[in-house]
Amino acid sequence: MITKFDSLFAGHVDIDNIGYGGTPINDRRYGNAHLSSALSKAQSIAQVMDGLGYSTFWMAEHHFQREGTECIPNVLLMALHLTHVTKSMNIGCGFNIAPMWHPLRLAEDYAMADILSHGRVVFGVGRGYHTREVETFGAPLIDQEANRELFEEQVDIIFKAFNSESFRHQGKYYTLPPEVPYRGYTLEELTLVPRPARLPVECWQPIQGGSERALGFMAKHGIQGMVGGGSAEGGAMHNVVLKWQSEHAKRGMHIDLGERLCFGFHFYIGDDKRQCIRDAAKYYEENMKMFGELRLNRAMTDEQIEIMRDPRRAPTAKLPRIEDAVASGGFLTGSADEIIEHLKALEKAYPGLDRISISPSLGVPEAVILEQLERFAKEVMPAFRGSRVEVGSYAER
C-alpha cells in the first residue's frame, strides 16, 4: 500500500530555449553564479516538500556539469545543510557514486551525517554513468566489468565498516588496513570512528538493467531499489520486480511484489492530460537530449542520437516523444483523478509497494517545480492512506 511520496532533484539550474528545437546540450554554458543557483533551488524545493507531507527529498551526486544539468557535487554535505532548514522530512543521497570515493571516506562522512542529522539523512550508492565524472576521478566506467567489480568491493567495505566494531579487508582493489607499524604493533584491523548511530543503515541503489548479479548483490546487503517508470505496464520493469523477489527468495527472504522498492516517475499534473502533454513535452525532450546521449535509453539508435543534436532536424524526426512515455506508464501526467487511478492500479499489481517518487524532468524551472509539488501533495496524496498534507501554499511560507 502506497504511503510514502518522495521526489528526486538531480540539480539542474533554470535553463531556457529547451526541447528538441532548443539549444543542443553540448552547446550550453553557464557562469558560476548561475550554476551555483542549483543549491538554492534544491533548498527551496526541500522546504516546500517538508511542509507538504513528503517523505524524502533525494539529490544526486554529479560533477563538472557546466551545462547546468546536474550541479550538486556533494549530496551528503548538501543533505546535512537541508536538515538544518527543514523540520522533519528525510533527505536522501540518490546517489553517492562509490567509484569516485574512497569507501572509508564515504562511510565516515555518512556516519557523521547520520549522527548530526539525528537519522534524517538516507544513504544511497550508485556506480555512475558519466565518463567525464568517473574516469576523471581515476575510476573505470568505460570498462563496465571493472566498474562493477570496484563498486561491489567498495560497498562490501562500507558495510563491513558500518556493521563491525573492527574489521579488515583483503580484495582486488583494497587491502585494509595496510600492514604497517603503528605505535609499536603491526596494524591488523580498523574501526570506523564514528560509526552510524542507526544500524542497520538504510541504503538505496538505482536499478537499471536489473541483472541477477546486481539484484543479488543488493539483496545480500539489504539495499533497497529505485526503479524507473513503466512498471504499471508490465514488460521490462515488471520482469525486474519479479527477479527482485526471486533474488530475495534465494536468500530465504520472502517479500511481496514491489516490497523494498520505490517506483519513480517524471510527472506533470494539470486539469487535462492532453494539455499536460503539450505543456510538458519540452521538458521531456530536454531530458532525452541529456540522457539519450549517455545511452540510458537503450532503444535509441546512433542515428537518432545524431539527429537529436541538431535543433533543425530533431523537432520533426522520429525521436522518443512524451506521448509514448505516457502511454507506457513511464511519465505520470494528467488530472489528479487520472494520476490516482494509475497509482491505485500499481497498488493492486504490487501489494508490497509502499513508496513512489515523482520528479521533475530536466529543464523544469523552479517556480513550476514548486507549483507542481504542491498540487500533487494536495490533490493526489490524500487519496492514499497514511499520507499527510499540511494546508497552505509555498507562497505563504
Side-chain angles (χ1 to χ4, degrees):
M1 182 173 293
I2 298 170
T3 59
K4 305 179 186 73
F5 289 90
D6 300 351
S7 187
L8 185 146
F9 174 62
H12 70 268
V13 300
D14 283 11
I15 58 180
D16 55 12
N17 196 25
I18 63 175
Y20 285 150
T23 306
I25 190 73
N26 290 334
D27 291 348
R28 293 195 182 279
R29 293 290 187 278
Y30 294 100
N32 187 61
H34 193 56
L35 294 172
S36 301
S37 70
L39 306 183
S40 61
K41 188 173 181 177
Q43 178 171 319
S44 295
I45 295 169
Q47 289 175 316
V48 165
M49 288 176 59
D50 186 47
L52 289 170
Y54 285 90
S55 176
T56 304
F57 173 56
W58 298 91
M59 295 174 292
E61 175 190 352
H62 288 290
H63 305 266
F64 319 124
Q65 299 294 323
R66 61 191 181 189
E67 302 85 3
T69 50
E70 298 165 315
C71 303
I72 304 175
N74 191 317
V75 294
L76 278 165
L77 191 64
M78 189 68 190
L80 189 58
H81 166 70
L82 292 180
T83 64
H84 297 150
V85 296
T86 57
K87 295 180 179 179
S88 59
M89 181 180 63
N90 288 338
I91 312 295
C93 300
F95 304 86
N96 299 299
I97 305 305
M100 296 190 290
W101 290 75
H102 189 290
L104 294 184
R105 290 305 303 267
L106 180 53
E108 285 178 335
D109 283 8
Y110 172 72
M112 287 187 63
D114 175 63
I115 293 167
L116 295 174
S117 72
H118 303 286
R120 288 178 57 203
V121 175
V122 184
F123 192 51
V125 292
R127 293 170 49 204
Y129 52 81
H130 289 278
T131 53
R132 178 170 60 184
E133 297 181 349
V134 179
E135 300 271 351
T136 296
F137 280 103
L141 184 63
I142 295 173
D143 185 340
Q144 280 285 294
E145 181 60 27
N147 173 272
R148 183 177 293 282
E149 282 185 349
L150 174 62
F151 169 81
E152 290 179 346
E153 185 171 341
Q154 290 176 316
V155 173
D156 284 341
I157 291 167
I158 289 168
F159 278 94
K160 282 182 181 180
F162 284 162
N163 296 323
S164 306
E165 290 190 6
S166 61
F167 70 95
R168 58 188 302 169
H169 174 86
Q170 177 68 56
K172 180 176 181 178
Y173 294 96
Y174 298 93
T175 297
L176 300 170
E179 295 183 2
V180 295
Y182 181 73
R183 290 186 187 166
Y185 67 93
T186 300
L187 199 59
E188 294 183 352
E189 61 183 18
L190 294 170
T191 296
L192 195 72
V193 178
R195 294 163 62 207
R198 292 148 195 87
L199 295 172
V201 168
E202 178 184 351
C203 182
W204 291 80
Q205 183 180 332
I207 296 175
Q208 295 292 337
S211 69
E212 289 185 7
R213 173 178 174 176
L215 300 182
F217 182 80
M218 293 172 69
K220 178 182 77 169
H221 284 297
I223 299 171
Q224 299 179 78
M226 291 197 177
V227 187
S231 301
E233 303 303 317
M237 289 300 101
H238 179 66
N239 289 336
V240 166
V241 177
L242 293 176
K243 288 194 290 183
W244 176 255
Q245 186 183 53
S246 175
E247 289 302 317
H248 282 78
K250 290 177 184 178
R251 290 157 179 80
M253 295 177 282
H254 171 74
I255 60 172
D256 292 329
L257 283 177
E259 189 174 344
R260 301 183 59 77
L261 292 173
C262 175
F263 287 178
F265 302 90
H266 286 134
F267 86 110
Y268 198 91
I269 185 172
D271 295 326
D272 175 79
K273 179 171 285 190
R274 287 175 296 180
Q275 185 61 49
C276 284
I277 288 173
R278 287 192 291 269
D279 292 344
K282 58 184 178 292
Y283 305 131
Y284 173 83
E285 292 171 5
E286 194 66 25
N287 217 73
M288 290 305 304
K289 285 161 59 179
M290 165 69 172
F291 292 103
E293 287 272 3
L294 300 172
R295 301 293 184 176
L296 295 185
N297 184 325
R298 294 176 175 85
M300 290 193 70
T301 65
D302 291 340
E303 181 182 10
Q304 286 177 307
I305 291 173
E306 179 65 31
I307 292 172
M308 201 163 51
R309 297 172 184 151
D310 186 345
R312 296 166 301 176
R313 300 167 62 196
T316 57
K318 189 177 181 180
L319 292 173
R321 301 289 171 182
I322 188 172
E323 291 85 353
D324 301 322
V326 170
S328 70
F331 196 108
L332 197 59
T333 193
S335 67
D337 287 343
E338 288 171 312
I339 291 175
I340 290 168
E341 181 181 8
H342 189 97
L343 296 180
K344 289 293 185 181
L346 279 179
E347 279 191 322
K348 185 175 180 180
Y350 302 103
L353 180 68
D354 67 353
R355 184 182 296 267
I356 291 292
S357 177
I358 47 101
S359 305
S361 301
L362 176 64
V364 182
E366 179 177 328
V368 177
I369 293 175
L370 301 184
E371 181 272 332
Q372 287 279 301
L373 287 168
E374 180 176 12
R375 187 165 183 176
F376 187 94
K378 291 183 174 181
E379 297 181 18
V380 175
M381 285 164 51
F384 296 85
R385 191 173 70 187
S387 63
R388 55 185 175 83
V389 178
E390 184 175 300
V391 176
S393 70
Y394 70 83
E396 297 168 348
R397 297 188 177 91

